[in-house]
């Protein structure tokens, strides 16, 4: 164990989860768990496609079929701009304004907005419980709730639960009620799976394709209509992530941030302006 590995955790525990949630969330996402946050939010993204009302809208726009990498990058940029700078910073405000402008072109139910918002809180927490190099402390879990609740308010989402426990219950009840198979789920899910595979050499695709499903739970696989991976494959993928976590404990603390937007982005090799993120040539 590196002697300074828990420096950020000590700082986080001294902060207040309510008043300091932006600072805590910044440390979590950019310094403590950057890779894990990206991967867990990819799973969260897939979870939202298990809801027919969500997948039908995405399937209708054809964004994931025609421009999957750009759709992925646009979503990532907006989320990470808010996470890195905070919702009241100039860039964070611009990202929320851009997100609201994009969403305003579609008729989206408030309950769907609420669910998607909840996945940003609870999917990273659940990922961390399985694969984190250390467990998130209560301050980190609560700061995630307070951070995204404030973002939700700025998105004009109604009836956001007021406590961590209430919102988690909403998340679980919603999935039980609305996770159902639909052909649109399958089409959007397959397009996203193909996007993930495109990041690797083609000769690896046949081996990696079932592995991309190994972290999806049974309710997700059924909603997509995907074949369930073998228990052997599920365990192999999970164990590899647990080994990675144990190795990370030996590393020194990160001294510079590692947000998604800190590295070159495939769809924007020359950089981007927040006001143009998400543009498809069919802007209102």
């Amino acid at each position: 164990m590196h002697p300074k590995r828990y420096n950020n955790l000590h700082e986080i525990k001294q902060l207040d989860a309510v008043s300091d949630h932006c600072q805590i969330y910044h440390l979590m996402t950019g310094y403590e768990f950057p890779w894990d946050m990206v991967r867990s939010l990819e799973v969260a993204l897939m979870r939202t496609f298990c809801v027919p009302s969500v997948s039908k809208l995405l399937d209708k726009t054809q964004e994931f079929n025609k421009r999957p990498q750009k759709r992925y990058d646009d979503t990532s940029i907006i989320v990470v701009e808010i996470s890195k700078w905070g919702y009241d910073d100039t860039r964070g405000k611009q990202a929320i304004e851009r997100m609201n402008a994009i969403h305003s072109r579609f008729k989206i139910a408030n309950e769907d907005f609420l669910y998607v918002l909840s996945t940003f809180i609870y999917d990273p927490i659940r990922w961390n419980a399985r694969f984190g190099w250390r467990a998130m402390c209560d301050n980190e879990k609560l700061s995630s709730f307070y951070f995204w609740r404030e973002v939700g308010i700025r998105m004009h989402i109604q009836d956001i639960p007021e406590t961590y426990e209430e919102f988690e219950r909403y998340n679980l009840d919603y999935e039980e009620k609305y996770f159902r198979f639909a052909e649109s789920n399958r089409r959007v899910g397959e397009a996203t799976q193909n996007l993930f595979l495109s990041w690797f050499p083609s000769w690896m695709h046949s081996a990696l394709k079932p592995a991309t499903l190994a972290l999806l739970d049974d309710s997700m696989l059924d909603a997509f209509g995907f074949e369930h991976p073998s228990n052997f494959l599920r365990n192999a993928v999970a164990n590899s992530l647990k080994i990675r976590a144990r190795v990370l404990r030996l590393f020194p603390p990160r001294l510079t941030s590692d947000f998604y937007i800190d590295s070159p982005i495939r769809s924007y090799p020359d950089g981007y302006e927040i006001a143009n993120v998400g543009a498809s040539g069919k802007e209102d």
Side-chain angles (χ1 to χ4, degrees):
M1 185 72 63
H2 192 280
K4 295 184 179 180
R5 192 66 174 106
Y6 290 88
N7 282 3
N8 285 331
L9 176 60
H10 296 323
E11 178 182 352
I12 287 167
K13 286 184 173 180
Q14 301 306 311
L15 297 171
D16 183 83
V18 179
S19 59
D20 300 321
H21 59 259
C22 283
Q23 184 179 352
I24 295 171
Y25 198 73
H26 178 88
L27 289 171
M28 288 170 55
T29 55
Y31 292 85
E32 292 294 272
F33 311 111
W35 187 87
D36 299 84
M37 294 297 291
V38 172
R39 300 288 84 78
S40 63
L41 289 175
E42 287 169 354
V43 175
L45 183 72
M46 293 288 284
R47 295 192 82 83
T48 66
F49 304 156
C50 295
V51 182
S53 60
V54 174
S55 68
K56 286 176 183 176
L57 174 60
L58 294 170
D59 190 43
K60 184 178 180 180
T61 67
Q62 289 290 294
E63 287 293 303
F64 272 96
N65 288 312
K66 296 179 179 178
R67 294 172 288 272
Q69 185 64 60
K70 187 172 185 301
R71 179 64 170 75
Y72 175 93
D73 287 337
D74 288 342
T75 300
S76 299
I77 287 169
I78 288 175
V79 170
V80 176
E81 286 281 356
I82 300 168
S83 301
K84 180 173 183 178
W85 302 108
Y87 47 76
D88 279 339
D89 179 87
T90 299
R91 292 190 68 89
K93 287 180 178 179
Q94 289 176 343
I96 292 175
E97 288 171 4
R98 183 61 189 145
M99 177 167 54
N100 288 342
I102 294 169
H103 288 159
S104 69
R105 306 201 305 270
F106 308 102
K107 186 176 181 180
I108 304 172
N110 188 72
E111 61 184 353
D112 292 344
F113 268 130
L114 271 174
Y115 173 67
V116 174
L117 186 71
S118 74
T119 66
F120 284 92
I121 302 168
Y122 300 105
D123 273 87
I125 290 171
R126 292 164 188 159
W127 174 285
N128 172 266
R130 296 183 67 192
F131 307 123
W133 67 267
R134 68 162 173 81
M136 286 183 183
C137 67
D138 289 343
N139 265 9
E140 289 169 316
K141 295 176 184 178
L142 289 173
S143 73
S144 298
F145 165 75
Y146 288 115
F147 182 89
W148 286 109
R149 190 176 193 280
E150 289 297 325
V151 172
I153 290 170
R154 287 157 178 78
M155 292 173 64
H156 313 298
I157 300 175
Q158 305 299 308
D159 304 318
I160 304 175
E162 296 187 2
T163 70
Y164 178 99
E165 292 77 14
E166 286 179 88
F167 208 6
E168 184 175 28
R169 174 46 52 191
Y170 178 90
N171 171 273
L172 296 171
D173 289 346
Y174 180 100
E175 290 186 359
E176 184 176 359
K177 182 176 181 180
Y178 291 110
F179 272 28
R180 298 289 184 273
F181 171 76
E183 288 295 337
S184 56
N185 295 3
R186 179 193 287 274
R187 286 192 292 270
V188 176
E190 287 178 343
T192 307
Q193 183 185 38
N194 289 335
L195 168 64
F196 296 156
L197 291 173
S198 74
W199 300 340
F200 300 91
S202 58
W203 60 268
M204 298 177 65
H205 289 188
S206 60
L208 286 176
K209 189 170 184 178
T212 62
L213 305 179
L215 293 172
L216 306 187
D217 61 43
D218 289 348
S219 66
M220 295 177 69
L221 293 166
D222 292 341
F224 285 124
F226 290 161
E227 184 178 349
H228 289 221
S230 66
N231 288 334
F232 175 82
L233 181 59
R234 285 182 181 274
N235 291 333
V237 172
N239 288 336
S240 67
L241 290 169
K242 291 174 182 177
I243 291 170
R244 172 187 174 272
R246 287 196 289 270
V247 172
L248 278 181
R249 293 171 196 158
L250 305 176
F251 283 58
R254 187 179 298 279
L255 299 179
T256 57
S257 69
D258 185 23
F259 289 95
Y260 185 76
I261 56 176
D262 292 338
S263 302
I265 296 173
R266 290 179 176 89
S267 303
Y268 299 92
D270 300 319
Y272 62 87
E273 296 292 334
I274 294 176
N276 295 328
V277 169
S280 63
K282 298 181 181 180
E283 296 290 84
D284 291 345

